[in-house]
Amino acid sequence: MSYPKSGRTWMRYIFHLLGCKVKFTHAGQGTSFSQREPGVGFSAVDLSVLGEKNIFMYRNPLDTAVSMFFQIHKHDAVSFWGKGMIQYCRMAWNKNSPPSNIDEFVLHPVWGVENICRYNQAWLEYFKDKPDNLVINYEEATSDLAGVVKKLSNTIGLHGVDAENIAKQSDFKSMKKLELKGKSKDLRLYGQKKGDPDTMKVRRGIIRGYRDYLSEKTIVSAEKIADKYHFTI
């Protein structure tokens, strides 16, 4: 379980390499209209999405918001203007449509940092006293992927896993090469559109990469929002 753009595609590939099928969910906060009421932010944890054992993944909220911006405007825009036209018009009427300006987007109360922080804070609080479940974060996976693979395999009851080999196969460069080869529906990798690298699911994966896109004023504002929810960006 994770907020969109928190590393789910990465984890999906790791589980694929482990030969294990798991259920993935954004718990009502997905980017498609089939997963989310258009323009409506997070309100409370949805216990109906939980399984017997659960893995929750989260990421720096500002990096998440920037990746979300590209997901929506570079990848999901087709659904907004196609089958989602009515919903998109409703969002525009309610002034909750996703801003086309990236600085405005990350500070938007529904699409940006604040909604991400509320979602992550609520689920982290829920899982705090539940040792049978696993909580990991994107930054941890970036710095020690083999360690995260071990945690994942232990949680789902897989033993004797060569975590170092799995980590090597699923590092960011390997994932990007896989997506550039073409579409993979099972792994939710859709390739590059019109030569634009920002249309890819495996886009950059840089920690605090938001600094390449946002003004300093926006970053300071986002820091203040994140601080309210006890997150550091």
Side-chain angles (χ1 to χ4, degrees):
M1 180 194 311
S2 67
Y3 198 88
K5 313 313 295 179
S6 298
R8 183 171 82 159
T9 299
W10 196 7
M11 295 301 109
R12 188 189 300 278
Y13 187 51
I14 290 173
F15 281 117
H16 168 74
L17 294 174
L18 290 171
C20 182
K21 289 187 177 181
V22 298
K23 179 183 177 182
F24 290 87
T25 179
H26 291 312
Q29 290 295 293
T31 59
S32 75
F33 290 135
S34 63
Q35 299 173 314
R36 180 180 193 170
E37 180 66 23
V40 176
F42 175 77
S43 58
V45 297
D46 178 6
L47 301 184
S48 70
V49 304
L50 296 176
E52 197 171 313
K53 285 192 175 183
N54 304 279
I55 298 168
F56 179 70
M57 186 173 190
Y58 67 103
R59 181 187 184 188
N60 180 310
L62 192 49
D63 276 334
T64 306
V66 167
S67 289
M68 183 84 157
F69 172 85
F70 287 107
Q71 171 72 25
I72 286 175
H73 289 290
K74 297 283 189 175
H75 190 274
D76 294 346
V78 174
S79 67
F80 283 160
W81 294 108
K83 62 184 179 181
M85 176 64 79
I86 294 175
Q87 292 94 328
Y88 191 91
C89 290
R90 191 195 323 164
M91 286 192 296
W93 177 263
N94 293 327
K95 298 181 179 180
N96 273 334
S97 55
S100 58
N101 176 281
I102 192 169
D103 289 270
E104 293 176 8
F105 183 97
V106 301
L107 298 179
H108 193 280
V110 171
W111 299 101
V113 169
E114 184 151 21
N115 196 55
I116 296 165
C117 287
R118 290 194 292 113
Y119 177 97
N120 286 342
Q121 184 190 60
W123 280 110
L124 286 170
E125 182 64 26
Y126 175 82
F127 285 120
K128 185 172 63 176
D129 300 318
K130 295 176 174 56
D132 289 340
N133 298 279
L134 176 65
V135 174
I136 57 176
N137 66 63
Y138 188 96
E139 292 72 26
E140 176 189 4
T142 301
S143 63
D144 182 18
L145 185 53
V148 167
V149 171
K150 288 178 183 177
K151 289 181 180 180
L152 293 171
S153 56
N154 288 338
T155 299
I156 61 178
L158 286 179
H159 304 289
V161 170
D162 187 345
E164 294 290 343
N165 184 46
I166 295 292
K168 185 177 180 180
Q169 292 183 68
S170 58
D171 66 13
F172 190 82
K173 288 182 179 179
S174 300
M175 287 279 294
K176 195 157 192 173
K177 284 181 181 178
L178 181 66
E179 183 166 15
L180 285 169
K181 286 181 179 178
K183 296 182 179 181
S184 175
K185 187 175 181 181
D186 290 343
L187 299 176
R188 309 290 173 87
L189 298 175
Y190 302 110
Q192 189 177 117
K193 298 179 181 178
K194 298 180 180 179
D196 185 350
D198 284 331
T199 61
M200 296 177 65
K201 292 282 283 187
V202 185
R203 201 173 53 84
R204 294 182 78 208
I206 299 174
I207 304 301
R208 293 188 171 86
Y210 59 77
R211 296 189 179 278
D212 296 331
Y213 297 99
L214 305 173
S215 70
E216 192 59 36
K217 181 180 178 181
T218 296
I219 293 172
V220 170
S221 297
E223 285 175 341
K224 290 178 180 178
I225 294 170
D227 187 61
K228 288 194 306 181
Y229 298 93
H230 310 293
F231 289 105
T232 301
I233 60 172

